[in-house]
């Protein structure tokens, strides 16, 4: 039997390999501008981060040595030895880096007689492969370190653990990332006017009181969400100055995620030193349909208010604990969630609630009614932001309001400041003389009329200009309406190749219809899905995007990317409103979509994706000896099939919005059920990958469910689709199968919704006989 590896020595060897390899990078000529240089830079950065991993491991070993003799020490040592063993990810990583160093050393030896530096010897494809492998190894070691060293230290008392488990069970939607994103959009020294008592008295009066209501209203694109994020920052940190530690951490590139989480607000919002009482907030985001439900808003606020120093849910919420203990789904009806929220709020003496984008909610009157009940409670401050839509005006007209139109001078100043800073920072526009920058900013600010989003679209349209004169001409010709700017974007798209037009068409369709956030890699994968093909089904590789930047370039301001999370969405709510209108001309019709029909289309594409041979090929590649570590195999599959998590988590959710009554979805689900039976190994691997990706065990039903089509339809489909399927399968309405069906419906909480369907279907099958 081999002796266990000396982990400290192995980590030291890897650190030495990293050091000598990165030094070798400097001994070659710079690569020319373009993809090769970018790939070389990324490889260099990956090597540096591997060095950081080795430093972390060394520190953990030193800490672990202090626990010698304990069971914890033995288990941790065993895991470290496994990770650094001959087949472990870090040993493989070291071997591959040694190979890279050998290639670089060979090129340097061949050039030893020349006084000049040699050209860079590695090809782009080889570097891309190395980057991919290193990322797999890093994830494997990071996952292992986190699971075995960080999570094992979290010994919570039973009551706190129960509270955390129940928050997980509640399945709340986290909107703190939206708050952080909007906070990053704010330029330094903007938004400060709202905190000036002499400028904005309504805000000062609201924030100075212990209870009260304030409505921040403004048109689409007027910066309400950025202002909301600034208010939250100001309340929790006491300042907006960029030099403050917390603000700098968020803006400087997220170097330490753990510190960011400590300083920022998340779903576990805490009482902060800068907040008088407890602060909870929620952002309604049109890019994530789940956030637009009243039940989601109430559930998130409830979970936030559950945070107390010593939680004891068995005493404060015995009914909820019982529901959780019985294995039932969490409450979803508004009335129950409303009552739970009020009870949780009473755990705190003073409360502040901020809700952004209220008008985006898909049931505004219900949410307004719930918020009125919240205001009845003692010591509650409520701030909501929305557009001045009729239903909100009726409810809040006459109440304390900040109307952004009344502060146009201050918002215009912020817009101008933002434009100048963006031009100064841009690689090409910075060459424009400062005086001209100010003049251009003045012109664009005037045309924006208080719309930050218009100003951004206007500025983005200038990036193609080659001369200062062309910039001035384009600014002078800017249209007044956003829709006209979107028309111009689509006209430019229409000048591109057929493939590029298809990519834009499918990208905006996916992002306009998605019910949950998508990453840019998922969008790149999704645009290749085509309908109407018979087995074997393949993705259309002709629609493969060369780089993420290309997708952003051809889509323009129709889309936006959060560079921190790689989340992608439509650029603004006005983009979705535009794309669901009647198209301006026949040529652009392909880019527009019906708000209901799009869900049928995306549901069919989601199921089709699961059936593609591309997944089989990726799984086959993941089984090669290169990926000896199971976690590495799982990461490889998800990295190369990024739509897998979306289609199993979000793809079926499209069913509920389908109104066109036909059998298309049922037929494809039947094909899926048959393929799972024919290729069980494929789907067991898919299940393992999904479980590893989410850190849970929630996907076994994919291979274990005998009546897969029925299970999916009963959980996700509208009543008419369930009925159509049961008319095909009358055997499911007899004897034990009928009892199982009724139990399934009851467990999912859909008894009332499906009762009539089941009765009608039973009658229909009887009459057919």
């Amino acid at each position: 039997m081999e002796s266990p590896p000396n982990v400290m020595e192995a980590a030291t060897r890897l650190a030495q390999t990293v050091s000598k390899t990165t030094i070798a990078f400097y001994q070659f000529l710079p690569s020319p501008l373009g993809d090769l240089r970018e790939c070389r830079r990324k490889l260099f950065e990956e090597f540096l981060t591997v060095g950081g991993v080795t430093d972390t491991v060394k520190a953990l070993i030193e800490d672990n040595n202090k626990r010698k003799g304990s069971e914890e020490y033995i288990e941790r040592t065993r895991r470290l030895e496994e990770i650094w063993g001959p087949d472990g990810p870090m040993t493989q990583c070291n071997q591959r880096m040694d190979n890279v160093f050998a290639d670089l050393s060979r090129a340097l030896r061949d050039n030893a007689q020349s006084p000049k530096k040699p050209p860079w010897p590695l090809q782009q494809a080889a570097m891309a492969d190395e980057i991919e492998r290193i990322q797999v190894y890093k994830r494997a070691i990071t996952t292992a370190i986190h699971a075995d060293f960080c999570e094992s230290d979290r010994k919570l008392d039973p009551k706190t653990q129960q509270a955390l488990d129940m928050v997980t069970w509640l399945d709340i939607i986290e909107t703190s990332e939206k708050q952080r994103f909007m906070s990053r959009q704010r330029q330094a020294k903007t938004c400060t006017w709202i905190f000036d008592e002499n400028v904005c008295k309504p805000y000062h009066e609201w924030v100075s009181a212990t209870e009260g209501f304030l409505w921040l209203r403004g048109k689409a694109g007027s910066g309400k969400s950025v202002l909301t994020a600034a208010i939250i920052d100001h309340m929790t940190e006491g300042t907006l100055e960029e030099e403050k530690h917390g603000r700098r951490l968020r803006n400087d590139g997220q170097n330490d995620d753990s510190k960011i989480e400590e300083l920022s607000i998340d779903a576990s919002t805490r009482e902060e030193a800068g907040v008088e009482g407890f602060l909870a907030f929620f952002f309604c985001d049109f890019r994530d349909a789940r956030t637009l439900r009243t039940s989601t808003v109430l559930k998130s606020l409830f979970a936030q208010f559950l945070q107390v120093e010593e939680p004891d849910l068995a005493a404060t919420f015995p009914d909820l604990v019982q529901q959780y203990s019985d294995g039932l789904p969490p409450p979803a009806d508004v009335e129950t969630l409303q009552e739970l929220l009020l009870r949780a709020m009473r755990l705190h003496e003073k409360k502040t609630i901020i809700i952004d984008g209220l008008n985006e909610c898909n049931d505004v009157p219900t949410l307004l009614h719930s918020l009125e009940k919240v205001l009845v409670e003692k010591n509650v401050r409520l701030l909501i932001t929305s557009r001045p839509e009729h239903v909100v005006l009726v409810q809040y007209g006459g109440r304390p309001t900040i109307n952004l139109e009344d502060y146009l001078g201050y918002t215009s100043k912020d817009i101008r400041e933002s434009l100048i800073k963006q031009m100064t920072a841009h690689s090409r526009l910075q060459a424009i003389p400062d005086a001209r920058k100010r003049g251009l900013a003045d012109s664009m600010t005037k045309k924006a009329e208080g719309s930050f989003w218009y100003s951004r679209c206007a500025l983005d349209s200038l990036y193609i200009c080659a001369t200062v004169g062309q910039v001035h001409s384009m600014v002078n010709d800017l249209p007044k309406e956003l829709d006209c700017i979107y028309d111009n974007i689509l006209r430019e798209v229409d000048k591109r190749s057929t493939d590029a037009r298809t990519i834009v068409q499918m990208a905006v369709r996916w992002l306009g219809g998605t019910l949950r956030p998508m990453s840019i890699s998922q969008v790149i994968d999704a645009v290749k899905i085509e309908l109407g093909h018979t087995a074997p089904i393949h993705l259309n590789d002709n629609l493969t995007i060369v780089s993420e930047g290309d997708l952003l370039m051809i889509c323009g301001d129709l889309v936006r990317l959060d560079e921190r999370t790689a989340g992608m969405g439509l650029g603004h709510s006005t983009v979705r409103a535009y794309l669901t209108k009647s198209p301006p001309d026949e040529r652009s019709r392909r880019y527009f979509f019906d708000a209901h029909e799009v869900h049928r289309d995306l549901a069919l594409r989601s199921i089709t994706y699961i059936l593609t041979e591309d997944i089989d090929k990726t799984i086959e590649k993941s089984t090669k000896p290169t990926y000896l570590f199971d976690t590495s195999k799982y990461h490889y599959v998800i990295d190369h099939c990024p739509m897998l998590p979306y289609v199993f988590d979000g793809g079926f959710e499209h069913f509920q919005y389908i109104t066109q009554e036909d059998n298309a979805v049922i037929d494809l689900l039947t094909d899926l059920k048959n393929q799972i039976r024919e290729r069980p190994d494929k789907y067991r691997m898919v299940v393992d990958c999904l479980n590893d990706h989410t850190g849970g065990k929630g996907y076994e039903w994919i291979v274990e469910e005998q009546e897969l089509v029925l299970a999916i339809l009963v959980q996700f489909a509208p009543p008419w689709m369930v009925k159509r399927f049961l008319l095909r399968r009358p055997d499911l309405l007899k004897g034990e199968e009928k009892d199982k069906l009724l139990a399934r419906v009851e467990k999912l909480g859909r008894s009332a919704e499906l009762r009539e369907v089941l009765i009608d279907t039973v009658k229909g099958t009887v009459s057919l006989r």
Side-chain angles (χ1 to χ4, degrees), residues 202-405:
Y203 178 79
H204 179 75
E205 291 171 355
W206 175 80
V207 79
S208 301
T210 57
E211 57 184 43
F213 170 85
L214 183 61
W215 177 25
L216 175 62
R217 57 175 278 192
K219 65 182 180 181
S222 58
K224 298 183 296 296
S225 294
V226 173
L227 264 176
T228 304
I231 288 170
I232 293 170
D233 284 341
H234 195 269
M235 294 186 74
T236 56
E237 299 174 14
T239 181
L240 290 182
E241 292 302 316
E242 269 53 40
E243 63 268 16
K244 290 295 183 182
H245 182 61
R247 182 70 191 178
R248 187 171 65 248
L249 272 175
R250 275 203 304 278
N251 279 352
D252 282 351
Q254 301 77 46
N255 294 319
D256 187 337
D257 285 342
S258 64
K259 292 180 181 177
I260 293 170
E261 291 302 322
E262 290 173 6
L263 290 168
S264 59
I265 307 295
D266 56 20
S268 56
T269 310
R270 302 177 299 277
E271 293 193 63
E272 302 278 357
V275 183
E276 186 180 3
F278 190 93
L279 170 65
F281 65 81
F282 192 86
F283 282 73
C284 298
D285 187 354
F286 81 97
R287 299 175 185 86
D288 187 348
R290 298 169 300 171
T291 68
L292 308 183
R293 305 167 188 154
T294 299
S295 58
T296 302
V297 178
L298 298 178
K299 191 188 296 184
S300 176
L301 295 175
F302 166 64
Q304 293 178 57
F305 278 111
L306 280 182
Q307 296 166 82
V308 291
E309 190 171 340
E310 296 180 359
D312 187 358
L313 298 191
T316 53
F317 296 93
D319 48 345
L320 191 65
V321 171
Q322 188 62 52
Q323 189 172 343
Y324 167 72
S325 301
D326 291 343
L328 298 173
D333 63 288
V334 170
E335 186 176 347
T336 301
L337 291 169
Q338 173 76 75
E339 192 264 340
L340 289 171
L341 171 59
L342 297 178
R343 287 162 60 188
M345 289 172 60
R346 292 164 194 154
L347 299 175
H348 305 269
E349 183 179 353
K350 296 179 180 180
K351 290 80 68 173
T352 300
I353 298 176
I354 299 176
I355 298 177
D356 178 68
L358 179 141
N359 60 280
E360 300 282 1
C361 185
N362 56 20
D363 188 8
V364 174
T366 301
L367 182 54
L368 291 174
H369 180 70
S370 295
L371 294 178
E372 287 302 305
K373 292 185 177 181
V374 165
L375 280 171
V376 174
E377 295 292 305
K378 295 180 179 179
N379 297 327
V380 175
R381 293 185 303 195
L382 173 64
L383 185 151
I384 67 105
T385 77
S386 78
R387 300 176 196 169
E389 296 183 356
H390 178 72
V391 64
V392 188
L393 279 168
V394 170
Q395 185 76 20
Y396 294 143
R399 295 195 186 183
T401 301
I402 299 175
N403 185 348
L404 291 180
E405 290 186 6

Side-chain angles (χ1 to χ4, degrees), residues 47 54 96 166 223 232 263 315 403 442 497 517 536 538 622 651 726 750 754 765:
F47 283 178
T54 61
R96 294 193 69 87
M166 289 189 63
I232 293 170
L263 290 168
N403 185 348
D442 289 338
S497 66
H538 298 272
S622 75
L726 290 175
R750 297 194 68 186
L754 295 178
T765 56

